[in-house]
Amino acid sequence: MRVVIAEDNVLLSSGLELLLTAKGFDVAAITQDAPGFVAAVAEHRPDVTIVDVRLPPSFRDEGLLAALRVRRRYPGLPVLVLSQYVEQQYASELISDGRGGVGYLLKDRVSRVSEFVDALRRVAAGGTVMDPEVIAQLLTRRAHDPIDDLTPREREVLALMSAGEDNATIAARLVITENAVHKHIGNIFAKLGLSPDDSGHRRVLAVLTYLSRRP
């Protein structure tokens, strides 16, 4: 079974390589950043991948974003997230795409090698493996609806975004400047917890968040 790993901690990645090789896996590539991971997946077409959430250069959510990217490019590609952190927004997107082959384990809570290897095999076979602490954090954070934090004007802007209007049209409809629209959209992204890395993707996610709560 071929594996690609994205992990910037050299000691951990080397340990994973030794462990998995001993268990019969073929570690095709180990990368330390998101672009390297995406390239390695394209080159090796692995059966399963292991990804840390926070990778260089900013150590925020590069790994998880890269996992989403390769899942869109190769639908159903098995991804096991192995991290110290629960990144709510993109973790929810990864888990809820309905394609299976997803796992999210916290490094500090993996206590036995056999359990980790079993989890990896289940993810590779199309199953879902979730650390209970990850589930608890996702459910707790979902209890608060970030749409409620938007101002009335920001909600108007988001409603027009959901109708497919561009910034110029929104500005004309609300009788405000395009610069004001841009600022409102920036505030919306921030309040919804959307990363600044991909503005086009953020716009889609913001609209989906708005539409998902409408009756």
Side-chain angles (χ1 to χ4, degrees):
M1 188 180 298
R2 197 160 50 255
V3 185
V4 167
I5 300 171
E7 170 60 64
D8 68 293
N9 184 309
V10 176
L11 289 177
L12 179 55
S13 61
S14 297
L16 284 171
E17 182 178 22
L18 290 172
L19 165 65
L20 295 177
T21 300
K23 295 295 181 178
F25 291 85
D26 173 19
V27 179
I30 298 176
T31 67
Q32 296 185 345
D33 57 31
F37 171 69
V38 174
V41 169
E43 178 181 355
H44 299 287
R45 300 296 180 91
D47 301 298
V48 64
T49 62
I50 301 173
V51 185
D52 191 3
V53 168
R54 300 186 177 184
L55 295 173
S58 67
F59 295 96
R60 291 189 304 178
D61 49 22
E62 291 89 342
L64 205 44
L65 285 170
L68 288 169
R69 196 173 304 129
V70 297
R71 289 269 289 190
R72 287 192 290 268
R73 186 175 300 175
Y74 310 106
L77 174 71
V79 173
L80 174 60
V81 177
L82 181 62
S83 182
Q84 291 177 303
Y85 311 96
V86 180
E87 204 295 322
Q88 193 268 344
Q89 177 64 45
Y90 295 112
S92 297
E93 184 179 352
L94 180 67
I95 293 163
S96 63
D97 72 1
R99 292 168 179 161
V102 174
Y104 202 128
L105 299 179
L106 297 178
K107 293 176 181 178
D108 294 342
R109 289 170 55 86
V110 176
S111 58
R112 294 199 302 179
V113 168
S114 59
E115 291 178 353
F116 171 73
V117 173
D118 179 61
L120 186 61
R121 293 190 188 279
R122 279 187 282 159
V123 170
T128 301
V129 178
M130 299 293 296
D131 187 299
E133 180 63 23
V134 174
I135 296 173
Q137 289 195 38
L138 291 179
L139 291 177
T140 298
R141 296 181 190 184
R142 284 178 181 173
H144 172 71
D145 189 345
I147 295 291
D148 294 336
D149 295 333
L150 302 183
T151 66
R153 176 63 84 189
E154 288 163 357
R155 292 187 191 189
E156 288 179 320
V157 171
L158 183 53
L160 290 171
M161 288 168 59
S162 72
E165 306 291 5
D166 59 21
N167 288 7
T169 304
I170 293 173
R173 291 280 298 275
L174 298 179
V175 195
I176 57 178
T177 66
E178 285 191 52
N179 187 51
V181 172
H182 180 75
K183 289 181 179 179
H184 285 312
I185 292 175
N187 290 337
I188 291 168
F189 290 159
K191 291 179 180 180
L192 298 185
L194 302 178
S195 169
D197 293 338
D198 186 340
S199 59
H201 190 49
R202 283 192 301 169
R203 198 176 183 103
V204 171
L205 288 175
V207 169
L208 289 175
T209 300
Y210 173 76
L211 295 176
S212 68
R213 72 188 300 274
R214 297 178 63 186

PDB file of all heavy atoms in Angstrom, residues 143-170:
ATOM      1  N   ALA A 143     -22.153  24.793  17.524  1.00  0.00           N
ATOM      2  CA  ALA A 143     -23.298  25.218  18.308  1.00  0.00           C
ATOM      3  C   ALA A 143     -23.540  26.721  18.159  1.00  0.00           C
ATOM      4  O   ALA A 143     -24.650  27.204  18.319  1.00  0.00           O
ATOM      5  CB  ALA A 143     -23.098  24.865  19.773  1.00  0.00           C
ATOM      6  N   HIS A 144     -22.514  27.471  17.864  1.00  0.00           N
ATOM      7  CA  HIS A 144     -22.654  28.912  17.644  1.00  0.00           C
ATOM      8  C   HIS A 144     -22.695  29.182  16.157  1.00  0.00           C
ATOM      9  O   HIS A 144     -21.820  28.762  15.408  1.00  0.00           O
ATOM     10  CB  HIS A 144     -21.473  29.653  18.276  1.00  0.00           C
ATOM     11  CG  HIS A 144     -21.447  31.100  17.918  1.00  0.00           C
ATOM     12  ND1 HIS A 144     -22.357  31.998  18.399  1.00  0.00           N
ATOM     13  CD2 HIS A 144     -20.630  31.808  17.088  1.00  0.00           C
ATOM     14  CE1 HIS A 144     -22.106  33.198  17.906  1.00  0.00           C
ATOM     15  NE2 HIS A 144     -21.061  33.108  17.104  1.00  0.00           N
ATOM     16  N   ASP A 145     -23.740  29.886  15.708  1.00  0.00           N
ATOM     17  CA  ASP A 145     -23.885  30.208  14.294  1.00  0.00           C
ATOM     18  C   ASP A 145     -23.186  31.534  14.012  1.00  0.00           C
ATOM     19  O   ASP A 145     -23.640  32.593  14.476  1.00  0.00           O
ATOM     20  CB  ASP A 145     -25.365  30.316  13.942  1.00  0.00           C
ATOM     21  CG  ASP A 145     -25.590  30.445  12.442  1.00  0.00           C
ATOM     22  OD1 ASP A 145     -24.611  30.739  11.714  1.00  0.00           O
ATOM     23  OD2 ASP A 145     -26.728  30.254  11.995  1.00  0.00           O
ATOM     24  N   PRO A 146     -22.076  31.517  13.261  1.00  0.00           N
ATOM     25  CA  PRO A 146     -21.331  32.759  13.012  1.00  0.00           C
ATOM     26  C   PRO A 146     -22.126  33.788  12.217  1.00  0.00           C
ATOM     27  O   PRO A 146     -21.801  34.974  12.246  1.00  0.00           O
ATOM     28  CB  PRO A 146     -20.096  32.281  12.247  1.00  0.00           C
ATOM     29  CG  PRO A 146     -20.499  30.991  11.626  1.00  0.00           C
ATOM     30  CD  PRO A 146     -21.442  30.362  12.609  1.00  0.00           C
ATOM     31  N   ILE A 147     -23.167  33.355  11.511  1.00  0.00           N
ATOM     32  CA  ILE A 147     -24.004  34.305  10.779  1.00  0.00           C
ATOM     33  C   ILE A 147     -24.623  35.315  11.750  1.00  0.00           C
ATOM     34  O   ILE A 147     -24.847  36.478  11.407  1.00  0.00           O
ATOM     35  CB  ILE A 147     -25.114  33.572   9.993  1.00  0.00           C
ATOM     36  CG1 ILE A 147     -24.508  32.676   8.900  1.00  0.00           C
ATOM     37  CG2 ILE A 147     -26.090  34.564   9.371  1.00  0.00           C
ATOM     38  CD1 ILE A 147     -23.871  33.428   7.761  1.00  0.00           C
ATOM     39  N   ASP A 148     -24.876  34.870  12.977  1.00  0.00           N
ATOM     40  CA  ASP A 148     -25.468  35.759  13.972  1.00  0.00           C
ATOM     41  C   ASP A 148     -24.553  36.917  14.345  1.00  0.00           C
ATOM     42  O   ASP A 148     -25.012  37.915  14.912  1.00  0.00           O
ATOM     43  CB  ASP A 148     -25.833  34.971  15.237  1.00  0.00           C
ATOM     44  CG  ASP A 148     -26.936  33.949  14.994  1.00  0.00           C
ATOM     45  OD1 ASP A 148     -27.714  34.149  14.040  1.00  0.00           O
ATOM     46  OD2 ASP A 148     -27.005  32.952  15.740  1.00  0.00           O
ATOM     47  N   ASP A 149     -23.253  36.785  14.045  1.00  0.00           N
ATOM     48  CA  ASP A 149     -22.292  37.841  14.374  1.00  0.00           C
ATOM     49  C   ASP A 149     -22.259  38.951  13.328  1.00  0.00           C
ATOM     50  O   ASP A 149     -21.649  40.001  13.550  1.00  0.00           O
ATOM     51  CB  ASP A 149     -20.883  37.249  14.525  1.00  0.00           C
ATOM     52  CG  ASP A 149     -20.775  36.296  15.703  1.00  0.00           C
ATOM     53  OD1 ASP A 149     -21.544  36.460  16.670  1.00  0.00           O
ATOM     54  OD2 ASP A 149     -19.923  35.393  15.651  1.00  0.00           O
ATOM     55  N   LEU A 150     -22.891  38.720  12.181  1.00  0.00           N
ATOM     56  CA  LEU A 150     -22.862  39.712  11.114  1.00  0.00           C
ATOM     57  C   LEU A 150     -23.780  40.882  11.425  1.00  0.00           C
ATOM     58  O   LEU A 150     -24.849  40.717  12.010  1.00  0.00           O
ATOM     59  CB  LEU A 150     -23.279  39.075   9.780  1.00  0.00           C
ATOM     60  CG  LEU A 150     -22.463  37.880   9.276  1.00  0.00           C
ATOM     61  CD1 LEU A 150     -22.985  37.431   7.921  1.00  0.00           C
ATOM     62  CD2 LEU A 150     -20.981  38.209   9.194  1.00  0.00           C
ATOM     63  N   THR A 151     -23.368  42.063  11.000  1.00  0.00           N
ATOM     64  CA  THR A 151     -24.221  43.243  11.125  1.00  0.00           C
ATOM     65  C   THR A 151     -25.335  43.162  10.070  1.00  0.00           C
ATOM     66  O   THR A 151     -25.238  42.396   9.105  1.00  0.00           O
ATOM     67  CB  THR A 151     -23.425  44.534  10.906  1.00  0.00           C
ATOM     68  OG1 THR A 151     -22.979  44.563   9.530  1.00  0.00           O
ATOM     69  CG2 THR A 151     -22.214  44.603  11.831  1.00  0.00           C
ATOM     70  N   PRO A 152     -26.404  43.945  10.240  1.00  0.00           N
ATOM     71  CA  PRO A 152     -27.467  43.939   9.221  1.00  0.00           C
ATOM     72  C   PRO A 152     -26.943  44.241   7.820  1.00  0.00           C
ATOM     73  O   PRO A 152     -27.366  43.618   6.831  1.00  0.00           O
ATOM     74  CB  PRO A 152     -28.421  45.029   9.720  1.00  0.00           C
ATOM     75  CG  PRO A 152     -28.254  45.007  11.208  1.00  0.00           C
ATOM     76  CD  PRO A 152     -26.791  44.744  11.420  1.00  0.00           C
ATOM     77  N   ARG A 153     -26.023  45.196   7.700  1.00  0.00           N
ATOM     78  CA  ARG A 153     -25.469  45.524   6.382  1.00  0.00           C
ATOM     79  C   ARG A 153     -24.672  44.351   5.817  1.00  0.00           C
ATOM     80  O   ARG A 153     -24.760  44.034   4.625  1.00  0.00           O
ATOM     81  CB  ARG A 153     -24.579  46.762   6.472  1.00  0.00           C
ATOM     82  CG  ARG A 153     -23.890  47.135   5.171  1.00  0.00           C
ATOM     83  CD  ARG A 153     -24.899  47.501   4.078  1.00  0.00           C
ATOM     84  NE  ARG A 153     -25.315  48.885   4.175  1.00  0.00           N
ATOM     85  CZ  ARG A 153     -26.302  49.445   3.469  1.00  0.00           C
ATOM     86  NH1 ARG A 153     -26.977  48.694   2.603  1.00  0.00           N
ATOM     87  NH2 ARG A 153     -26.614  50.711   3.608  1.00  0.00           N
ATOM     88  N   GLU A 154     -23.873  43.691   6.664  1.00  0.00           N
ATOM     89  CA  GLU A 154     -23.092  42.539   6.209  1.00  0.00           C
ATOM     90  C   GLU A 154     -24.006  41.411   5.748  1.00  0.00           C
ATOM     91  O   GLU A 154     -23.707  40.713   4.775  1.00  0.00           O
ATOM     92  CB  GLU A 154     -22.156  42.067   7.323  1.00  0.00           C
ATOM     93  CG  GLU A 154     -20.993  43.016   7.570  1.00  0.00           C
ATOM     94  CD  GLU A 154     -20.297  42.795   8.901  1.00  0.00           C
ATOM     95  OE1 GLU A 154     -20.740  41.924   9.688  1.00  0.00           O
ATOM     96  OE2 GLU A 154     -19.310  43.509   9.177  1.00  0.00           O
ATOM     97  N   ARG A 155     -25.139  41.262   6.405  1.00  0.00           N
ATOM     98  CA  ARG A 155     -26.092  40.233   5.977  1.00  0.00           C
ATOM     99  C   ARG A 155     -26.698  40.593   4.621  1.00  0.00           C
ATOM    100  O   ARG A 155     -26.950  39.711   3.791  1.00  0.00           O
ATOM    101  CB  ARG A 155     -27.197  40.064   7.024  1.00  0.00           C
ATOM    102  CG  ARG A 155     -26.710  39.477   8.333  1.00  0.00           C
ATOM    103  CD  ARG A 155     -27.848  39.179   9.276  1.00  0.00           C
ATOM    104  NE  ARG A 155     -27.367  38.854  10.607  1.00  0.00           N
ATOM    105  CZ  ARG A 155     -28.124  38.390  11.583  1.00  0.00           C
ATOM    106  NH1 ARG A 155     -29.405  38.209  11.380  1.00  0.00           N
ATOM    107  NH2 ARG A 155     -27.603  38.127  12.756  1.00  0.00           N
ATOM    108  N   GLU A 156     -26.963  41.877   4.402  1.00  0.00           N
ATOM    109  CA  GLU A 156     -27.472  42.307   3.097  1.00  0.00           C
ATOM    110  C   GLU A 156     -26.465  41.997   2.000  1.00  0.00           C
ATOM    111  O   GLU A 156     -26.827  41.507   0.923  1.00  0.00           O
ATOM    112  CB  GLU A 156     -27.768  43.805   3.119  1.00  0.00           C
ATOM    113  CG  GLU A 156     -28.986  44.204   3.936  1.00  0.00           C
ATOM    114  CD  GLU A 156     -29.202  45.712   3.936  1.00  0.00           C
ATOM    115  OE1 GLU A 156     -28.209  46.462   4.026  1.00  0.00           O
ATOM    116  OE2 GLU A 156     -30.371  46.116   3.843  1.00  0.00           O
ATOM    117  N   VAL A 157     -25.196  42.295   2.275  1.00  0.00           N
ATOM    118  CA  VAL A 157     -24.137  42.020   1.300  1.00  0.00           C
ATOM    119  C   VAL A 157     -24.049  40.522   1.025  1.00  0.00           C
ATOM    120  O   VAL A 157     -23.969  40.092  -0.135  1.00  0.00           O
ATOM    121  CB  VAL A 157     -22.779  42.561   1.803  1.00  0.00           C
ATOM    122  CG1 VAL A 157     -21.642  42.079   0.901  1.00  0.00           C
ATOM    123  CG2 VAL A 157     -22.792  44.087   1.856  1.00  0.00           C
ATOM    124  N   LEU A 158     -24.091  39.724   2.075  1.00  0.00           N
ATOM    125  CA  LEU A 158     -23.990  38.270   1.906  1.00  0.00           C
ATOM    126  C   LEU A 158     -25.191  37.716   1.146  1.00  0.00           C
ATOM    127  O   LEU A 158     -25.047  36.809   0.322  1.00  0.00           O
ATOM    128  CB  LEU A 158     -23.853  37.592   3.272  1.00  0.00           C
ATOM    129  CG  LEU A 158     -23.654  36.076   3.273  1.00  0.00           C
ATOM    130  CD1 LEU A 158     -22.488  35.675   2.382  1.00  0.00           C
ATOM    131  CD2 LEU A 158     -23.437  35.568   4.694  1.00  0.00           C
ATOM    132  N   ALA A 159     -26.364  38.262   1.398  1.00  0.00           N
ATOM    133  CA  ALA A 159     -27.559  37.814   0.676  1.00  0.00           C
ATOM    134  C   ALA A 159     -27.418  38.093  -0.817  1.00  0.00           C
ATOM    135  O   ALA A 159     -27.782  37.253  -1.659  1.00  0.00           O
ATOM    136  CB  ALA A 159     -28.796  38.510   1.233  1.00  0.00           C
ATOM    137  N   LEU A 160     -26.889  39.267  -1.166  1.00  0.00           N
ATOM    138  CA  LEU A 160     -26.684  39.587  -2.578  1.00  0.00           C
ATOM    139  C   LEU A 160     -25.576  38.735  -3.183  1.00  0.00           C
ATOM    140  O   LEU A 160     -25.656  38.338  -4.355  1.00  0.00           O
ATOM    141  CB  LEU A 160     -26.370  41.076  -2.726  1.00  0.00           C
ATOM    142  CG  LEU A 160     -27.561  42.018  -2.445  1.00  0.00           C
ATOM    143  CD1 LEU A 160     -27.114  43.467  -2.391  1.00  0.00           C
ATOM    144  CD2 LEU A 160     -28.651  41.832  -3.497  1.00  0.00           C
ATOM    145  N   MET A 161     -24.529  38.428  -2.397  1.00  0.00           N
ATOM    146  CA  MET A 161     -23.499  37.501  -2.864  1.00  0.00           C
ATOM    147  C   MET A 161     -24.111  36.150  -3.198  1.00  0.00           C
ATOM    148  O   MET A 161     -23.771  35.519  -4.204  1.00  0.00           O
ATOM    149  CB  MET A 161     -22.401  37.338  -1.799  1.00  0.00           C
ATOM    150  CG  MET A 161     -21.499  38.537  -1.630  1.00  0.00           C
ATOM    151  SD  MET A 161     -20.476  38.410  -0.127  1.00  0.00           S
ATOM    152  CE  MET A 161     -19.564  36.880  -0.431  1.00  0.00           C
ATOM    153  N   SER A 162     -25.035  35.691  -2.347  1.00  0.00           N
ATOM    154  CA  SER A 162     -25.654  34.377  -2.556  1.00  0.00           C
ATOM    155  C   SER A 162     -26.535  34.363  -3.799  1.00  0.00           C
ATOM    156  O   SER A 162     -26.815  33.298  -4.362  1.00  0.00           O
ATOM    157  CB  SER A 162     -26.478  33.977  -1.326  1.00  0.00           C
ATOM    158  OG  SER A 162     -27.659  34.756  -1.234  1.00  0.00           O
ATOM    159  N   ALA A 163     -26.980  35.557  -4.217  1.00  0.00           N
ATOM    160  CA  ALA A 163     -27.781  35.665  -5.440  1.00  0.00           C
ATOM    161  C   ALA A 163     -26.898  35.757  -6.682  1.00  0.00           C
ATOM    162  O   ALA A 163     -27.403  35.883  -7.799  1.00  0.00           O
ATOM    163  CB  ALA A 163     -28.693  36.885  -5.358  1.00  0.00           C
ATOM    164  N   GLY A 164     -25.567  35.695  -6.482  1.00  0.00           N
ATOM    165  CA  GLY A 164     -24.637  35.693  -7.599  1.00  0.00           C
ATOM    166  C   GLY A 164     -24.207  37.068  -8.070  1.00  0.00           C
ATOM    167  O   GLY A 164     -23.595  37.187  -9.142  1.00  0.00           O
ATOM    168  N   GLU A 165     -24.506  38.102  -7.278  1.00  0.00           N
ATOM    169  CA  GLU A 165     -24.147  39.459  -7.698  1.00  0.00           C
ATOM    170  C   GLU A 165     -22.664  39.725  -7.454  1.00  0.00           C
ATOM    171  O   GLU A 165     -22.097  39.275  -6.454  1.00  0.00           O
ATOM    172  CB  GLU A 165     -24.986  40.489  -6.924  1.00  0.00           C
ATOM    173  CG  GLU A 165     -26.486  40.268  -6.994  1.00  0.00           C
ATOM    174  CD  GLU A 165     -27.072  40.534  -8.375  1.00  0.00           C
ATOM    175  OE1 GLU A 165     -26.292  40.804  -9.303  1.00  0.00           O
ATOM    176  OE2 GLU A 165     -28.301  40.462  -8.523  1.00  0.00           O
ATOM    177  N   ASP A 166     -22.050  40.500  -8.360  1.00  0.00           N
ATOM    178  CA  ASP A 166     -20.657  40.888  -8.172  1.00  0.00           C
ATOM    179  C   ASP A 166     -20.592  42.152  -7.309  1.00  0.00           C
ATOM    180  O   ASP A 166     -21.626  42.739  -6.950  1.00  0.00           O
ATOM    181  CB  ASP A 166     -19.939  41.090  -9.497  1.00  0.00           C
ATOM    182  CG  ASP A 166     -20.582  42.173 -10.372  1.00  0.00           C
ATOM    183  OD1 ASP A 166     -21.313  43.031  -9.849  1.00  0.00           O
ATOM    184  OD2 ASP A 166     -20.351  42.149 -11.590  1.00  0.00           O
ATOM    185  N   ASN A 167     -19.375  42.573  -6.965  1.00  0.00           N
ATOM    186  CA  ASN A 167     -19.211  43.702  -6.044  1.00  0.00           C
ATOM    187  C   ASN A 167     -19.814  44.987  -6.588  1.00  0.00           C
ATOM    188  O   ASN A 167     -20.411  45.770  -5.845  1.00  0.00           O
ATOM    189  CB  ASN A 167     -17.733  43.905  -5.724  1.00  0.00           C
ATOM    190  CG  ASN A 167     -17.180  42.820  -4.825  1.00  0.00           C
ATOM    191  OD1 ASN A 167     -17.863  41.837  -4.547  1.00  0.00           O
ATOM    192  ND2 ASN A 167     -15.962  42.982  -4.360  1.00  0.00           N
ATOM    193  N   ALA A 168     -19.667  45.225  -7.885  1.00  0.00           N
ATOM    194  CA  ALA A 168     -20.194  46.455  -8.478  1.00  0.00           C
ATOM    195  C   ALA A 168     -21.716  46.500  -8.380  1.00  0.00           C
ATOM    196  O   ALA A 168     -22.308  47.540  -8.052  1.00  0.00           O
ATOM    197  CB  ALA A 168     -19.749  46.566  -9.937  1.00  0.00           C
ATOM    198  N   THR A 169     -22.347  45.372  -8.644  1.00  0.00           N
ATOM    199  CA  THR A 169     -23.808  45.314  -8.574  1.00  0.00           C
ATOM    200  C   THR A 169     -24.298  45.468  -7.143  1.00  0.00           C
ATOM    201  O   THR A 169     -25.289  46.154  -6.877  1.00  0.00           O
ATOM    202  CB  THR A 169     -24.321  43.983  -9.162  1.00  0.00           C
ATOM    203  OG1 THR A 169     -23.841  43.842 -10.501  1.00  0.00           O
ATOM    204  CG2 THR A 169     -25.831  43.924  -9.152  1.00  0.00           C
ATOM    205  N   ILE A 170     -23.584  44.830  -6.214  1.00  0.00           N
ATOM    206  CA  ILE A 170     -23.953  44.959  -4.805  1.00  0.00           C
ATOM    207  C   ILE A 170     -23.860  46.415  -4.367  1.00  0.00           C
ATOM    208  O   ILE A 170     -24.752  46.932  -3.670  1.00  0.00           O
ATOM    209  CB  ILE A 170     -23.039  44.078  -3.930  1.00  0.00           C
ATOM    210  CG1 ILE A 170     -23.295  42.591  -4.222  1.00  0.00           C
ATOM    211  CG2 ILE A 170     -23.260  44.361  -2.437  1.00  0.00           C
ATOM    212  CD1 ILE A 170     -22.314  41.650  -3.536  1.00  0.00           C
TER     213      ILE A 170
END
